[in-house]
Amino acid sequence: MPYVIGADLPREPAGERFRALLDRPEILGMPGAHLGLAGLLAKKHGFEALYLSGAAMSASMGLPDLGMITIEDVCFFIRQVARSTGLPLLVDGDTGYGEALNVMHMVRSFEDAGAGAVHLEDQLLPKKCGHLNDKKLASADEMCAKVAAAHRARRHLYIIARTDAVASEGMDAAVARAQRYLDAGADAIFPEALTTVEMFREFRARMPGVKLLANMTEFGRTPFLTKEEFQALGYDMVIWPVTHLRVAAKAWDQLYAQIAAEGGAQGAVDRMQTRAELYETIGYHKYEELDASLVRTIIPTAMPQ
């Protein structure tokens, strides 16, 4: 039902709902869905939690993923997806937008916007995608201070500490960092840019009993693995962070090329979501029914031609 009906809104805070999903034995799969419409489509196909990627949010603003967006930029995306879907969201918190006080402000802002979980990474600004070269790491002490600050600021937000240390410092250092982040107050660990199945298996073995997040991004360093394969490796969560944006952006590019070449979009109609399908997705008629001043819309059944 539409989010405007208070009685239909979730009773439990998003962080508690996120934690409950992780208490189940099966792995939690979270596709990227940083827009309300994308979130509704993901929910339609049975996903129970969603991921908001910093790279996707940045790219949709026409910006690179270099730590340029702000807390308020991200809250705009959180609010629309949390409001439209009612699902708990895992949000990319980058490096926390500053030091301890900034991290605390981020946690309070994300919770208030409707997020259920956040991950913080141990890079220095300007941060980079975890699958790129020449990442610069913060010290473990600096990252622990941020994790502790996030833990102190949260009411219910689930806190995941991401470490990018494997690529530059090796597995031993990454595991040591991860343990320190847990001691500082993290609920789970996100080992970024593992490059082989054996590395995923080793990290799992060296972090017994710890909730772990796997990142299944395309055009990166991680081999393609399915949700079921990650579960078999012992992982508790998996994200497909930018997949939805990559597919959509490719479709936009092809559409604009077609309009430029043909002088119109008539040749692309078979690739479009119809008006009826869109209205069904966003619950158009349900909103109409809540406002007696609106006359129910009649959807055209065919193109004029």
Side-chain angles (χ1 to χ4, degrees):
M1 291 299 292
Y3 80 95
V4 292
I5 302 176
D8 291 339
L9 297 178
R11 299 293 183 185
E12 301 81 17
E16 293 180 11
R17 290 183 282 124
F18 188 88
R19 193 179 296 269
L21 292 173
L22 286 178
D23 286 340
R24 303 182 310 186
E26 63 268 21
I27 190 171
L28 178 60
M30 293 173 278
H34 71 291
L35 300 172
L37 179 60
L40 286 169
L41 289 168
K43 183 177 181 178
K44 171 185 173 182
H45 291 281
F47 290 99
E48 298 177 278
L50 303 171
Y51 179 66
L52 273 65
S53 158
M57 290 183 279
S58 297
S60 71
M61 296 170 64
L63 295 171
D65 183 26
L66 294 172
M68 296 174 66
I69 60 177
T70 68
I71 290 173
E72 285 307 308
D73 289 333
V74 177
C75 284
F76 168 78
F77 291 101
I78 296 172
R79 280 190 290 268
Q80 62 173 294
V81 181
R83 183 176 60 202
S84 60
T85 67
L87 297 180
L89 314 177
L90 167 57
V91 182
D92 184 350
D94 283 343
T95 62
Y97 308 94
E99 300 307 319
L101 283 175
N102 306 88
V103 171
M104 296 176 84
H105 173 51
M106 176 198 72
V107 167
R108 294 278 8 97
S109 298
F110 283 13
E111 272 195 355
D112 291 345
V118 66
H119 69 70
L120 282 168
E121 63 196 61
D122 54 5
Q123 286 194 54
L124 295 171
L125 290 174
K127 56 87 63 190
K128 300 177 75 171
C129 168
H131 291 252
L132 299 180
N133 62 302
D134 196 32
K135 296 177 291 184
K136 296 178 175 60
L137 296 185
S139 71
D141 287 341
E142 290 174 296
M143 180 63 172
C144 285
K146 291 183 178 183
V147 172
H151 185 270
R152 186 174 183 184
R154 64 108 173 257
R155 290 176 306 201
H156 57 80
L157 199 70
Y158 193 87
I159 299 168
I160 301 173
R162 166 178 148 179
T163 180
D164 288 69
V166 171
S168 55
E169 296 183 353
M171 182 66 75
D172 289 346
V175 169
R177 279 176 173 264
Q179 187 56 59
R180 289 195 60 186
Y181 301 162
L182 291 167
D183 294 341
D187 298 299
I189 296 296
F190 173 5
E192 175 63 311
L194 303 185
T195 59
T196 65
V197 170
E198 290 70 27
M199 291 177 74
F200 280 100
R201 185 176 290 116
E202 179 182 354
F203 199 92
R204 169 75 281 173
R206 296 179 67 173
M207 296 257 92
V210 176
K211 297 292 188 185
L212 296 180
L213 168 69
N215 179 13
M216 189 59 263
T217 190
E218 303 81 26
F219 311 108
R221 298 175 183 270
T222 299
F224 277 108
L225 296 171
T226 66
K227 182 178 73 169
E228 291 72 23
E229 287 171 322
F230 279 118
Q231 177 161 340
L233 288 167
Y235 283 72
D236 305 278
M237 299 166 271
V238 58
I239 55 175
W240 298 269
V242 195
T243 310
H244 67 301
L245 181 75
R246 299 191 205 284
V247 172
K250 186 72 171 181
W252 292 337
D253 187 37
Q254 292 172 343
L255 171 65
Y256 297 139
Q258 188 168 0
I259 294 174
E262 300 175 4
Q266 61 276 7
V269 172
D270 62 341
R271 305 201 306 274
M272 297 182 191
Q273 186 185 51
T274 66
R275 185 187 297 268
E277 289 168 339
L278 173 62
Y279 285 7
E280 176 64 25
T281 300
I282 62 178
Y284 190 100
H285 293 307
K286 292 178 181 178
Y287 283 93
E288 282 187 327
E289 291 165 5
L290 293 171
D291 191 337
S293 68
L294 291 171
V295 176
R296 183 176 175 87
T297 298
I298 299 173
I299 300 174
T301 58
M303 297 287 284
Q305 59 270 39

